[in-house]
Amino acid sequence: MQPKILPCGDTALTLQFGETIDAETNARVIAIAARLEDMAVPGLVDIVPTYRSLLLRYDPEILGGARLEALLGGLALEDGAVAAPARLWVVPCLYGGDVGQDLDDLARMKGMSPEQIVALHSGAEYRIYMIGFAPGFAYLGGLPKALHTPRLPKPRQNIPAGAIGIGGQQGNINSVAGPSGWRFIGWTPLRSFDPGRPEPFLFRAGDRIRFRPVDTAEAEALAARAAAGEAILHPEALA
C-alpha cells in the first residue's frame, strides 16, 4: 500500500502506512523513523513511530510543510531504509503477588489454573510495536489468543513501575507508576525507563520480549541490584 501523508495542524504531518496492525507495516514505520533520525533534518523537531504511522513535528520557520512532505514522499518509496537491529530481552517476571493482582481472577475467567496462565504468558515471544502513553511504556504484540481480555471497566489509580499486564489483545510493561485499566499478572524489577541513565529508555520499537518466571527472592535481589544502578539485563542481538 502506498503510504498517505496527512496534515496534523500547521506543525506536524503523519505518514500512514496502512489500515491494519501487522509486523511488516510496523517494520516499515520503524525503518523510516530510523532513516530520518540518521538524516538529522534541520527543523524536524520530533519523530514519533506508532503501530502503523509516523508522526513528524516540525518548526515551520525552519522546515516548510511542503518541503517535508516532498522528503517523506521520496523516503516512502525507498526500499533501502533499514531499522536498527532488533534485540531480544528475556525479562524476569514475578507472577502474582501484590502487583500481579489480577492473575487469580484471570485464571478463573479463563477456566485455567494460575500456573497455566503463567505458562502461556511466559511461553510466547512478543514484539514491541511502539513505545508510548508514558515514557518507556512498551506495547507488546504476540499475546496468545487465549489470554486476550478486555481492560477493567474502572481504572485503578496507582499501578507500580514494572507491572506486566494484559489489555485486550496486547501485553505491556509499565515504565512508571500511574493509573491503568489493564489487568496485571506480574511484575519485573527491570527498569525500562530511568532518566538518570545515559540511555533513559531500555526498550525500542521492534525489539522482542520473552518473560522468564522468577520467585520472590530472585525478584527482590534483582530489584536491589537495579536500585544500585547495576544493569541487571543485557539483550541478545537478533538477525
Side-chain angles (χ1 to χ4, degrees), residues 100-148:
Q101 58 193 296
D102 295 310
L103 177 60
D104 290 342
D105 284 344
L106 185 64
R108 283 191 288 270
M109 288 173 60
K110 300 296 185 182
M112 301 180 190
S113 68
E115 292 77 16
Q116 288 174 311
I117 297 290
V118 170
L120 265 177
H121 187 264
S122 62
E125 183 172 296
Y126 302 85
R127 173 188 177 86
I128 299 179
Y129 271 84
M130 72 175 195
I131 303 294
F133 171 67
F137 184 102
Y139 285 91
L140 309 179
L143 183 72
K145 189 173 182 179
L147 297 181
H148 292 184

Side-chain angles (χ1 to χ4, degrees), residues 13 58-69:
L13 292 174
Y58 62 93
D59 182 342
E61 294 187 357
I62 301 172
L63 176 64
R67 189 155 66 89
L68 177 57
E69 187 170 342

Side-chain angles (χ1 to χ4, degrees), residues 143 147-152 165-172 181-183:
L143 183 72
L147 297 181
H148 292 184
T149 310
R151 292 171 174 81
L152 296 169
I166 290 170
Q169 301 178 29
Q170 303 172 101
N172 87 306
W182 294 57
R183 298 175 191 266

Side-chain angles (χ1 to χ4, degrees), residues 41-112:
V41 180
L44 186 56
V45 177
D46 203 6
I47 302 169
V48 185
T50 70
Y51 283 99
R52 58 184 180 87
S53 63
L54 191 62
L55 175 69
L56 300 157
R57 292 179 52 242
Y58 62 93
D59 182 342
E61 294 187 357
I62 301 172
L63 176 64
R67 189 155 66 89
L68 177 57
E69 187 170 342
L71 173 64
L72 292 178
L75 288 178
L77 296 174
E78 288 186 3
D79 293 326
V82 178
R87 303 167 299 176
L88 172 65
W89 300 87
V90 182
V91 174
C93 179
L94 175 63
Y95 286 95
D98 291 340
V99 179
Q101 58 193 296
D102 295 310
L103 177 60
D104 290 342
D105 284 344
L106 185 64
R108 283 191 288 270
M109 288 173 60
K110 300 296 185 182
M112 301 180 190

